Structures are given as structure tokens and as C-alpha cells.
Amino acid sequence: QVQLVESGGGLVQAGASLRLSCAASGRTFSNHAMGWFRQAPGKKREFVAAISRNIGNTYYADSVKGRFTISRDNAKNTVYLQMNSLKPEDTAVYYCAAHGVLQTLLQGECDYWGQGTQVTVSS
């Protein structure tokens, strides 16, 4: 069992940066691929970024590539999402997710989800 708690969201102006954190409970954190998804009002949840279990291979949605960076610290059971050059269209609730199989996580079919943290970018 893995429990995920996100933090770091907030209200910022366009061009600013935020770093989201996702703290995971349980001893099996390092056995899970981790990812970030987001859902804007009236839209479907979409993939943002993911990181593999051990090697730390990273994957990004085209819309955030070059601006967002996902990383993980297995010693702290934490995954991060550094978001730079934020745009109003990045406004959404951001969810942390975990799954044992990276390919499954990339499809949005995750075993574990956090409660979400709101990110609002004003123009």
C-alpha cells in the first residue's frame, strides 16, 4: 500500500516557477514508477510527467517538455515536479500517482493517487 500526499501548489503569475512535492508512505516507494497528472476545469485528466523506478528515466507531455522537470529521491520517498515558465494553460489540479509498471502509469492506469494540489497561473 502506498499513500501519496502532494504539496507546493499555489497562485502565481505567468512566467513564475513552482515546485510540487509528493511524499509517499510505505517501504515500496522505490519499486514504483511515479508520475504527475493534471486536470483543468471541464477537461479530462492528462499526463504531465513520469519517472521510472530505479534508473530514473523521465517522460514528459509535449506541452511541458523543456519547462517541467520530474525527479525523485528514493531515500526521502518523495517525487518532485519543478515547473518553470508557467503559463495560464498550466492551471489545473495536479495529482501525483504511482504504479509498479511504468507503461501502465503512462496510460493513466495507476494503483495509487494523491488528493491533488491546485496550481493557478494568472496572466
Side-chain angles (χ1 to χ4, degrees):
Q1 190 78 3
V2 177
Q3 292 183 330
L4 306 172
V5 179
E6 303 99 332
S7 61
L11 170 63
V12 297
Q13 291 188 331
S17 298
L18 279 175
R19 189 176 81 155
L20 304 183
S21 299
C22 173
S25 65
R27 299 180 180 179
T28 61
F29 175 77
S30 61
N31 293 338
H32 289 78
M34 301 296 297
W36 290 93
F37 294 77
R38 67 186 182 187
Q39 186 168 21
K43 295 187 177 182
K44 292 182 178 180
R45 185 171 59 200
E46 64 176 1
F47 167 76
V48 175
I51 187 166
S52 63
R53 294 182 295 178
N54 295 319
I55 299 176
N57 292 334
T58 57
Y59 306 81
Y60 298 96
D62 288 342
S63 59
V64 307
K65 203 170 293 184
R67 299 188 298 122
F68 291 11
T69 302
I70 188 171
S71 61
R72 66 188 296 162
D73 185 337
N74 287 342
K76 295 183 178 180
N77 282 9
T78 302
V79 63
Y80 305 97
L81 185 67
Q82 178 67 43
M83 305 185 295
N84 298 329
S85 303
L86 283 162
K87 305 175 181 180
E89 50 264 43
D90 295 319
T91 295
V93 177
Y94 283 70
Y95 297 92
C96 177
H99 196 81
V101 179
L102 174 63
Q103 292 303 319
T104 304
L105 182 144
L106 292 174
Q107 296 169 14
E109 299 172 2
C110 304
D111 284 338
Y112 306 105
W113 292 91
Q115 83 288 349
T117 185
Q118 176 71 46
V119 172
T120 303
V121 184
S122 63
S123 57

